């Protein structure tokens, strides 16, 4: 059997409750024939849509995630969402350290480490996002930055918890409307650094952590990226926010991977 491949999207601060559930229902129906043994689909909607979203679809087929989470269970943390609150929604996945959290809201690797540990403690899978800025790339320190992010964010995570870890490599300069997609060659190089670092941190257990590429994935570059052995999946923003377009991107990518 071929290795499982991952396709997911973060809806960021887009789509209201109605639009989110309509999107999820359509996407689940369009992709219903794809085998969950070989294919993992996930969507990360807004907090306010999560409750309705979890009631609208079967998560065995389409996993739902939260965009962020506080490391504390309760307390004087105005505006934060606790792991206990997310547990009530029966979510499988929590995204930690998206570039917009790090760069707009100033979250640090140490913050992300506390969140990763809390995510695992509460039985969720953590999707850790990492990536270098344009400036770090310019100074030739991308590999050091990625290695630092992984080592700090996964500090005190044990090898027996790796089944609950996913990583998304999203170079900051490649994300969003002004982003420039990474070339397949560049993505491959960085994915290899990430796989090697995961091996260094966790030993053999680190080899099975899926590493997804994200940052301006689109119908023009998805096939080339997913053909790389170092890329275990695609984490898509804008090109996934229409269910029909995302379904086509997924199917073309699966065909490209298998041919
Ligand atoms: P994008 O977003 O595909 O729209 O660049 C990617 C992301 O932020 O995960």
């Amino acid at each position: 059997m071929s290795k499982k491949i991952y396709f997911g999207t973060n809806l960021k601060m887009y789509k209201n409750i109605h639009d989110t559930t309509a999107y999820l229902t359509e996407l689940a129906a369009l992709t219903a024939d794809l085998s969950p043994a070989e294919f993992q689909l996930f969507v990360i909607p807004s907090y306010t849509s999560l409750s309705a979203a979890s009631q609208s679809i079967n998560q065995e087929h389409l996993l739902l995630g939260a965009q962020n989470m506080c490391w504390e269970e309760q307390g004087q943390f105005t505006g934060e969402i606790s792991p206990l609150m997310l547990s009530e929604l029966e979510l499988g996945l929590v995204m930690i350290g998206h570039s917009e959290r790090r760069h707009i809201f100033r979250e640090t690797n140490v913050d992300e480490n506390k969140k990763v540990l809390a995510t695992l403690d509460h039985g969720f899978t953590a999707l850790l996002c990492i990536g270098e800025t344009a400036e770090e790339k310019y100074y030739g320190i991308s590999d050091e930055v990625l290695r630092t992010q992984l080592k700090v964010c996964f500090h005190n995570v044990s090898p027996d918890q790796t089944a609950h870890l996913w990583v998304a490599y999203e170079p900051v300069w490649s994300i969003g409307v002004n982003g420039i997609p990474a070339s397949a060659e560049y993505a491959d190089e960085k994915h290899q650094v990430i796989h090697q670092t995961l091996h260094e941190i966790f030993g053999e257990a680190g080899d099975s952590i899926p590493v997804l590429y994200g940052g301006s994935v689109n119908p023009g570059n998805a096939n080339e990226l997913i053909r790389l052995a170092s890329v275990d999946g695609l984490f898509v923003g804008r090109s996934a926010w229409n269910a029909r377009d995302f379904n086509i991107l997924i199917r073309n990518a699966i065909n490209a991977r298998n041919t």
Side-chain angles (χ1 to χ4, degrees):
M1 196 180 70
S2 55
K3 221 167 128 193
K4 192 164 179 172
I5 48 176
Y6 296 72
F7 290 93
T9 185
N10 160 25
L11 299 182
K12 306 193 180 185
M13 201 170 71
Y14 293 104
K15 294 192 193 289
N16 61 20
I17 297 172
H18 172 269
D19 293 347
T20 301
T21 53
Y23 169 81
L24 287 168
T25 313
E26 189 178 10
L27 185 63
L30 288 168
T31 55
D33 61 310
L34 296 170
S35 158
E38 293 168 35
F39 163 78
Q40 175 67 65
L41 180 61
F42 63 97
V43 174
I44 307 183
S46 69
Y47 283 128
T48 51
S49 301
L50 276 173
S51 177
S54 70
Q55 285 158 30
S56 70
I57 47 140
N58 173 0
Q59 287 200 61
E60 275 172 33
H61 174 66
L62 195 170
L63 197 62
L64 290 172
Q67 295 183 10
N68 185 19
M69 189 187 83
C70 185
W71 57 82
E72 294 287 346
E73 289 190 347
Q74 61 180 9
Q76 298 172 95
F77 299 100
T78 302
E80 289 293 310
I81 304 285
S82 135
L84 300 181
M85 295 168 184
L86 294 181
S87 295
E88 287 184 303
L89 300 173
E90 296 178 7
L91 297 180
L93 187 67
V94 178
M95 175 166 64
I96 303 294
H98 186 274
S99 143
E100 288 148 20
R101 298 298 321 165
R102 291 174 185 268
H103 299 287
I104 303 173
F105 300 102
R106 303 271 165 234
E107 292 183 10
T108 66
N109 285 328
V110 173
D111 295 333
E112 313 310 4
N113 178 232
K114 289 192 268 187
K115 293 181 186 203
V116 166
L117 293 171
T119 299
L120 297 170
D121 277 353
H122 289 83
F124 303 110
T125 290
L127 168 57
L128 176 72
C129 302
I130 59 170
E132 79 284 6
T133 63
E135 190 183 31
E136 290 159 344
K137 180 170 181 271
Y138 173 79
Y139 286 111
I141 56 169
S142 303
D143 294 3
E144 287 88 338
V145 168
L146 297 174
R147 288 170 54 77
T148 301
Q149 289 175 335
L150 289 169
K151 288 191 164 187
V152 178
C153 298
F154 288 154
H155 186 68
N156 281 337
V157 175
S158 73
D160 59 16
Q161 293 175 298
T162 51
H164 302 286
L165 297 179
W166 300 357
V167 172
Y169 169 55
E170 302 201 293
V172 178
W173 45 269
S174 75
I175 295 175
V177 281
N178 299 317
I180 305 155
S183 67
E185 195 189 1
Y186 188 87
D188 190 27
E189 196 185 295
K190 298 307 165 214
H191 274 243
Q192 290 192 30
V193 170
I194 293 166
H195 284 296
Q196 279 156 13
T197 310
L198 291 171
H199 185 90
E200 202 179 301
I201 300 171
F202 297 113
E204 260 178 41
D207 299 344
S208 46
I209 299 174
V211 182
L212 286 60
Y213 174 80
S216 294
V217 173
N218 62 64
N221 64 8
N223 297 357
E224 199 184 358
L225 288 162
I226 201 68
R227 274 202 200 102
L228 299 168
S230 61
V231 172
D232 300 303
L234 299 175
F235 191 28
V236 191
R238 289 154 293 148
S239 298
W241 295 340
N242 171 296
R244 273 155 294 161
D245 293 346
F246 193 24
N247 174 53
I248 293 168
L249 185 149
I250 289 168
R251 283 174 194 278
N252 287 341
I254 291 175
N255 286 340
R257 177 91 163 195
N258 294 336
T259 52

